[in-house]
């Protein structure tokens, strides 16, 4: 079983004494740094570049020089029928031109007369080229061009994959932080309720308070304990969800321990970590967006494919010309009157296959252009909407902070009045419940604010360089 539970304090260089175990903080930047470096999806994203590079190498292989040797022989009942040797060296070049060098040697009793060559063999050197189909674009050229575009596209796709895993990891961290704060809220109010219960019970035993007040105080303690237990479960589950994004070394999954807590001061840390700090709406150039760049490279590749299909409407006209000599050591032995030449012409009468391929190529290109136009509008509107959300959440945070302060003031005033005998425990519990609801809502609004920042990071497809 490969799932190994590690003590996270070892990973971040902390000592594992009892004091540290009470408050070990996993910072947001450190967390995302480990996600980007070790998460399998992040590593998988890096493989896309290797795939693009490998495809380009494969495409360039179409221009590798080639050596080809054909030999066949026959001997029967002591008769040497034939020994046929043909060795060729080819160098493909960019515009459908191929340089060739040949050596031919044919011996035997029954050699075809057209293969009569000098006893020491015949050498030839020349060129073959396409004058029609394949003259200005051919399969080899198109494959290399498309591979180059695919390599650049893979870089943009890598950024999109890394951004997505960091976005998902950020949401898990924000949820973990919210459940931690909720747990702390119920823990603090449980302590308050217990202290209040002790005071009321002491007063009731002294005859200063009615005995029934102790029952109401006890119910408040029990309610807070119940809410705290539910908050603990939510926090443990959020911790497990966060652990899905934590890996170490060679694909070793990690599990957070209960004493690890989130960083609570994230207002500016988020912007620095996600590298969205100080970027107004008008500072973003959509043409640099990785998704649009990826679609742009896809369109470039489809344009190459369209040009190739258009070129295939031309007739195939392949010509070949080679000088021949039996004394290749003398350069001047290659004379124009000694040659081998050939012409190959081919033209389908209806070109239905070629015209069909061209039409499909045009439709694919048009489809990709529609996709890019739609993606550009969607991204622009999405970014504007997120900025609107951020502006709204900044105002909501101010409002909810004031609400919490006011509820706190009301609760404190009610407790003072209760100490003077001018209020009741019912009113205190009511004020406290309102305050708890306001603090929980404050945590929720803050979480939504952080989520909106992560959504901006995701919509811009930022790949942080400093993690």
């Amino acid at each position: 079983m490969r799932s190994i539970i590690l003590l996270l304090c070892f990973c971040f260089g902390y000592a594992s004494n009892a004091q540290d175990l009470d408050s070990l903080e996993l910072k947001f930047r450190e967390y995302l740094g480990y996600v980007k470096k070790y998460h399998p999806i992040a590593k998988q994203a890096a493989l896309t570049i290797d795939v693009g590079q490998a495809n380009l190498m494969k495409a360039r292989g179409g221009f590798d020089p080639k050596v080809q040797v054909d030999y066949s022989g026959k001997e029967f009942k002591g008769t040497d029928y034939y020994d046929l040797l043909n060795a060729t060296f080819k160098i493909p070049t960019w515009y459908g031109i191929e340089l060739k060098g040949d050596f031919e040697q044919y011996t035997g009793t029954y050699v075809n007369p057209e293969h009569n060559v000098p006893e020491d063999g015949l050498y030839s050197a020349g060129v073959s080229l396409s004058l029609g189909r394949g003259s200005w674009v051919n399969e080899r050229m198109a494959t290399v061009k498309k591979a180059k575009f695919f390599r650049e596209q893979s870089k943009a796709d890598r950024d999109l994959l890394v951004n997505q895993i960091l976005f998902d990891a950020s949401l898990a961290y924000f949820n973990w932080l919210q459940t931690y704060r909720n747990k702390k809220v119920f823990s603090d109010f449980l302590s308050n309720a217990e202290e209040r219960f002790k005071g009321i019970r002491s007063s009731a035993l002294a005859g200063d308070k009615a005995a029934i007040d102790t029952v109401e105080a006890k119910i408040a303690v029990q309610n807070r304990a119940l809410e705290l237990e539910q908050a603990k479960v939510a926090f443990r589950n959020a911790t497990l969800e966060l652990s899905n994004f934590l890996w170490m070394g060679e694909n070793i999954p990690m599990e957070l321990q209960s004493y690890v807590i989130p960083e609570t001061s994230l207002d500016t840390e988020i912007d620095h970590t996600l590298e969205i700090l100080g970027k107004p709406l008008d500072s973003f150039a959509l043409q640099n967006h990785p998704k649009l760049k990826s679609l742009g490279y896809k369109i470039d590749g489809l344009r190459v494919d369209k040009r190739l299909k258009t070129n295939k409407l031309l007739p195939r006209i392949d010509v070949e010309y080679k000088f021949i000599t039996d004394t290749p050591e003398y350069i001047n032995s290659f004379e124009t009157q000694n040659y081998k030449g050939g012409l190959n012409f081919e033209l389908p009468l209806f070109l239905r296959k070629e015209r069909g391929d061209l039409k499909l190529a045009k439709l694919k290109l048009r489809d990709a252009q529609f996709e890019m136009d739609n993606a550009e509008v969607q991204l622009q509107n999405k970014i504007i909407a997120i900025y609107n959300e951020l502006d709204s959440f900044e105002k909501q945070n101010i409002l909810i902070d004031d609400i919490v302060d006011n509820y706190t003031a009301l609760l404190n005033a009610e407790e003072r009045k209760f100490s003077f005998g001018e209020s009741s425990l019912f009113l205190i519990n009511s004020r406290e419940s309102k305050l708890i609801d306001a603090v929980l809502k404050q945590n929720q609004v803050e979480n939504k604010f952080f989520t909106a920042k992560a959504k901006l990071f995701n919509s811009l497809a930022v790949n942080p360089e400093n993690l």
Side-chain angles (χ1 to χ4, degrees):
M1 183 175 182
R2 301 194 64 187
S3 178
I4 301 175
I5 301 178
L6 298 178
L7 297 180
L8 201 63
C9 56
F10 292 159
C11 305
F12 299 102
Y14 290 94
S16 59
N17 54 50
Q19 184 177 359
D20 290 333
L21 297 183
D22 291 338
S23 58
L24 181 61
E25 189 178 78
L26 174 59
K27 293 188 176 296
F28 183 60
R29 175 179 287 274
E30 287 180 308
Y31 163 70
L32 285 190
Y34 275 87
V35 173
K36 183 177 180 181
K37 185 174 182 180
Y38 294 113
H39 196 281
I41 299 299
K43 292 182 178 180
Q44 183 182 14
L47 293 179
T48 59
I49 296 181
D50 294 335
V51 171
Q53 199 67 38
N55 277 322
L56 180 58
M57 180 186 295
K58 177 182 176 182
R60 285 173 172 166
F63 292 92
D64 288 346
K66 298 177 183 178
V67 175
Q68 181 177 342
V69 178
D70 293 327
Y71 171 79
S72 61
K74 180 179 178 181
E75 184 172 342
F76 182 66
K77 293 184 177 180
T79 300
D80 183 10
Y81 276 62
Y82 56 80
D83 280 289
L84 309 180
L85 175 62
N86 191 323
T88 304
F89 179 68
K90 301 178 182 178
I91 304 177
T93 61
W94 188 249
Y95 289 102
I97 301 174
E98 193 171 68
L99 305 178
K100 291 184 177 181
D102 294 322
F103 172 72
E104 303 170 88
Q105 189 176 43
Y106 309 112
T107 60
T109 307
Y110 300 105
V111 174
N112 193 316
E114 71 178 30
H115 288 161
N116 286 335
V117 296
E119 184 177 351
D120 292 332
L122 188 66
Y123 298 85
S124 61
V127 62
S128 65
L129 67 156
S130 299
L131 300 178
R133 182 184 304 179
S135 56
W136 49 276
V137 62
N138 54 50
E139 293 285 354
R140 287 195 297 256
M141 295 165 57
T143 302
V144 171
K145 287 183 177 180
K146 289 191 290 185
K148 288 181 178 179
F149 290 134
F150 180 77
R151 180 185 60 181
E152 298 303 315
Q153 182 183 355
S154 65
K155 294 179 181 178
D157 291 341
R158 184 272 313 270
D159 291 341
L160 291 173
L161 286 172
V162 171
N163 175 272
Q164 185 63 41
I165 190 62
L166 292 179
F167 170 71
D168 295 337
S170 298
L171 295 187
Y173 190 93
F174 300 152
N175 182 53
W176 184 48
L177 173 60
Q178 182 183 3
T179 57
Y180 169 74
R181 284 181 166 165
N182 291 346
K183 181 174 73 75
K184 193 173 185 304
V185 167
F186 289 118
S187 177
D188 293 341
F189 279 99
L190 174 60
S191 298
N192 293 342
E194 289 174 341
E195 290 297 323
R196 190 181 301 120
F197 172 69
K198 290 177 183 178
I200 292 174
R201 185 175 61 178
S202 298
S203 298
L205 292 174
D208 295 335
K209 299 288 184 183
I212 195 65
D213 285 345
T214 61
V215 177
E216 189 169 357
K218 181 65 174 178
I219 292 174
V221 171
Q222 291 171 333
N223 280 331
R224 301 294 175 257
L226 176 62
E227 291 166 338
L228 176 60
E229 185 59 32
Q230 293 172 341
K232 285 181 178 179
V233 172
F235 177 68
R236 286 196 294 268
N237 290 342
T239 302
L240 288 174
E241 181 183 357
L242 189 80
S243 298
N244 293 334
F245 296 94
L246 283 174
W247 297 71
M248 287 294 293
E250 294 299 322
N251 299 330
I252 302 175
M254 300 175 62
E255 182 176 324
L256 289 180
Q257 301 302 293
S258 59
Y259 49 81
V260 181
I261 62 174
E263 180 181 8
T264 55
S265 301
L266 285 182
D267 292 342
T268 57
E269 181 64 24
I270 290 179
D271 294 344
H272 284 291
T273 302
L274 300 182
E275 299 183 8
I276 58 174
L277 180 66
K279 292 185 177 181
L281 179 59
D282 57 1
S283 68
F284 298 106
L286 278 180
Q287 61 268 24
N288 295 327
H289 194 282
K291 183 173 182 180
L292 297 182
K293 288 171 70 176
S294 176
L295 290 173
Y297 289 124
K298 177 182 177 182
I299 289 174
D300 290 337
L302 290 174
R303 286 197 180 106
V304 172
D305 197 52
K306 174 177 168 288
R307 286 197 295 270
L308 177 63
K309 297 299 191 292
T310 302
N311 182 256
K312 287 188 176 181
L313 295 177
L314 300 175
R316 181 186 298 278
I317 306 174
D318 297 333
V319 297
E320 182 179 74
Y321 184 89
K322 291 188 287 188
F323 300 101
I324 57 177
T325 181
D326 57 351
T327 55
E329 62 272 16
Y330 303 109
I331 297 298
N332 59 4
S333 65
F334 290 96
E335 298 178 352
T336 55
Q337 65 269 24
N338 299 324
Y339 70 90
K340 289 174 62 176
L343 170 68
N344 180 274
F345 178 85
E346 178 184 332
L347 176 64
L349 295 181
F350 300 111
L351 293 172
R352 284 182 289 199
K353 179 180 181 300
E354 289 76 11
R355 287 188 289 115
D357 286 341
L358 177 58
K359 187 173 183 179
L360 289 174
K362 289 180 178 179
L363 292 174
K364 288 180 181 179
L365 177 59
R366 192 63 179 151
D367 179 71
Q369 290 171 335
F370 285 142
E371 183 182 1
M372 186 170 184
D373 292 340
N374 181 61
E376 185 174 357
V377 173
Q378 283 186 338
L379 284 172
Q380 183 176 2
N381 292 336
K382 184 178 180 180
I383 292 171
I384 294 174
I386 292 173
Y387 269 97
N388 292 336
E389 283 187 38
L390 289 172
D391 291 339
S392 175
F393 279 125
E394 287 180 355
K395 298 175 183 177
Q396 291 180 44
N397 278 324
I398 295 173
L399 289 172
I400 193 63
D401 289 345
D402 289 341
I403 292 173
V404 170
D405 291 341
N406 291 333
Y407 272 124
T408 302
L410 284 174
L411 177 60
N412 292 336
E414 205 67 48
E415 287 178 334
R416 283 196 302 271
K417 290 170 63 178
F418 182 75
S419 65
F420 299 144
E422 298 177 0
S423 183
S424 65
L425 187 59
F426 173 79
L427 287 176
I428 291 178
N429 289 336
S430 177
R431 300 289 190 196
E432 190 176 69
S433 296
K434 293 289 186 180
L435 177 58
I436 291 175
D437 291 341
V439 174
L440 294 178
K441 191 171 184 179
Q442 183 184 41
N443 294 341
Q444 183 183 40
V445 170
E446 185 182 52
N447 178 271
K448 290 181 178 179
F449 180 52
F450 293 160
T451 299
K453 289 190 174 185
K455 287 165 63 178
L456 176 62
F457 164 78
N458 182 241
S459 63
L460 296 174
V462 177
N463 185 359
E465 298 178 358
N466 299 318
L467 284 180

